[in-house]
Amino acid sequence: AAQAAAETKLSSAGSTIVLGHVGSLTGNEATFGQSSDRGFKLAIDEQNTKGGIKGKKIELKTLDDQGKPEEAAVAAIRLATQDHVSVIFGEVASTRSLAMAPVAESNHIPMITHMSTNPKVTKDGDKTRQYVFRTCFIDPFQGTVMAKFTRENLKIDKVAILRDVGSDYSVGLAQFFTGTYKNLGGAIVAEQSYKSGDQDFKAQLTAIKGKNPDAIYVPGYYTEVALIARQARELGLKQPLLGGDGWPSDKLFEIAKGALDGSYYSGHYSEENPAPVVQEFVAKYKTAYGTVPDAWATLAYDTARLTVSALERAKELTGPAIRDALEQTKDFTGVTGAIAFDADHNPIKPAAVLGIEKNKSKFASTVNP
Ligand code: PHE
């Protein structure tokens, strides 16, 4: 009975469908939440122009979590129990999505993260979470892609690892990279740690220097990565840095000031990809916001469009019916690739490897699953 009560209270009972977004609009990772919100809004505005869904207008309710997991959980509870949203979008960071996922589960409200790549977000132990989905690839794939690229393309034998021990994302990615890299015959010669917010990495970098690796894998977020790159160069470390989808941001280049030239990372998307679906989106986004869309905005846009398609197909606008429609998504064409979900609610889609030259990203290659 409790479940039925929760399900009839969805906002969709009225004349609007309310969708929620939990994001970091302020704090160290403010660009994550702000760009994401622009992407969600663009897709929703487009759909409202076409008449909304089932005759109802769509509204986006965004709550700021300031980049804190506790706040992300509180925001998700509020969206589920007070605003009665139909779907919750977010978060970007796996640590914060992990704080929200149990809320979505217990309230039977579908949650879709567009950027959290840690496997645990959609899978609790060996149990798939019924109401949690994601539209980005996962870290075992991303880690494997970079390990292969490092071993096979860069022909590198010895790698040092420097990871953020407070981040589920960073720890997971380091682990998945290590597994594949060792299987391919590479050696991990040093493992060092930091915590988000740290500013001085000299002790760790000095220890790494002593082991003389050919490259340093730094699966972190851009602020720390850029500082690490600069301090590495100051200490005379000339090796390329390697990373993942937490790197690309205007801020990365602003802070790094060229220190990342010669480095490589795995990512979701490149605005240089000449595919028409990408270029049409880039043009639309520029018209709306005056800037080129970044990966957060692009995945948010895909996620909101995929949600619209599920809401249109849902037998009724209840949590369980929307969940079923999401699960039945087939051949959805996103800007970041085609999306269908596997048994664990993860999409099967390609990753991009990008290189950095003259303090700018350059599209290197697309790697298929
Ligand atoms: N993939 C990261 C995570 O799961 C989030 C992230 C994506 C951060 C892209 C920055 C850029 O935590």
Side-chain angles (χ1 to χ4, degrees), residues 16-355:
T16 50
I17 295 178
V18 186
L19 305 178
H21 170 206
V22 179
S24 52
L25 300 178
T26 57
N28 257 347
E29 293 158 26
T31 60
F32 293 7
Q34 292 168 0
S35 284
S36 301
D37 213 53
R38 285 188 206 114
F40 291 129
K41 277 214 179 89
L42 184 60
I44 290 171
D45 287 349
E46 277 177 17
Q47 192 60 29
N48 279 334
T49 311
K50 290 187 214 155
I53 297 168
K54 299 183 166 141
K56 297 173 198 275
K57 285 270 170 225
I58 318 163
E59 197 187 297
L60 182 66
K61 172 111 199 187
T62 302
L63 297 181
D64 180 15
D65 61 29
Q66 304 153 46
K68 299 176 184 155
E70 322 78 71
E71 294 296 329
V74 169
I77 292 170
R78 201 182 131 190
L79 290 172
T81 62
Q82 290 180 30
D83 299 311
H84 306 296
V85 299
S86 297
V87 173
I88 299 176
F89 296 140
E91 233 270 4
V92 166
S94 289
T95 301
R96 297 194 285 276
S97 290
L98 281 164
M100 294 164 58
V103 178
E105 260 334 68
S106 63
N107 287 283
H108 300 122
I109 309 274
M111 159 181 157
I112 316 175
T113 170
H114 54 306
M115 280 289 200
S116 288
T117 46
N118 189 285
K120 288 184 288 185
V121 173
T122 59
K123 206 165 180 173
D124 182 11
D126 54 12
K127 249 185 81 214
T128 304
R129 294 187 210 266
Q130 292 298 296
Y131 283 84
V132 184
F133 295 79
R134 87 177 97 216
T135 48
C136 52
F137 52 63
I138 54 172
D139 289 333
F141 174 59
Q142 177 174 209
T144 301
V145 162
M146 255 345 255
K148 273 196 182 156
F149 182 82
T150 305
R151 195 76 189 116
E152 289 165 6
N153 297 52
L154 303 178
K155 311 244 184 280
I156 277 176
D157 296 326
K158 290 184 294 177
V159 170
I161 290 189
L162 180 52
R163 70 207 192 298
D164 176 353
V165 282
S167 155
D168 293 292
Y169 160 74
S170 191
V171 170
L173 207 43
Q175 178 200 328
F176 301 123
F177 176 93
T178 299
T180 307
Y181 189 66
K182 281 188 178 163
N183 277 342
L184 295 171
I188 303 294
V189 294
E191 273 177 296
Q192 292 286 324
S193 305
Y194 67 90
K195 275 216 156 138
S196 143
D198 286 355
Q199 309 223 321
D200 185 345
F201 306 91
K202 297 229 168 73
Q204 295 94 317
L205 289 166
T206 304
I208 287 174
K209 193 176 178 188
K211 304 285 184 187
N212 198 27
D214 303 316
I216 311 170
Y217 188 53
V218 194
Y221 294 161
Y222 58 84
T223 309
E224 287 83 14
V225 169
L227 290 172
I228 287 168
R230 279 180 47 188
Q231 292 173 21
R233 304 313 172 217
E234 281 163 32
L235 289 171
L237 283 152
K238 298 199 173 63
Q239 293 88 330
L241 268 51
L242 309 169
D245 66 327
W247 278 28
S249 152
D250 292 345
K251 287 261 160 49
L252 179 82
F253 299 112
E254 244 172 76
I255 305 169
K257 297 192 170 63
L260 282 164
D261 285 4
S263 298
Y264 293 90
Y265 64 93
S266 52
H268 300 275
Y269 147 91
S270 164
E271 75 267 10
E272 291 170 23
N273 185 333
V277 52
V278 176
Q279 292 312 317
E280 274 160 32
F281 170 69
V282 170
K284 259 199 300 214
Y285 190 92
K286 270 197 192 153
T287 309
Y289 300 112
T291 55
V292 170
D294 54 24
W296 301 288
T298 310
L299 276 150
Y301 179 80
D302 276 357
T303 302
R305 280 197 53 234
L306 184 142
T307 301
V308 164
S309 116
L311 288 166
E312 279 174 331
R313 283 181 284 109
K315 294 219 173 65
E316 45 178 8
L317 293 175
T318 60
I322 298 167
R323 189 208 82 89
D324 290 348
L326 281 168
E327 215 166 52
Q328 285 150 15
T329 299
K330 284 209 179 57
D331 303 325
F332 170 82
T333 313
V335 177
T336 58
I339 299 176
F341 297 108
D342 72 9
D344 292 326
H345 295 177
N346 299 319
I348 306 150
K349 62 192 288 201
V353 176
L354 297 100

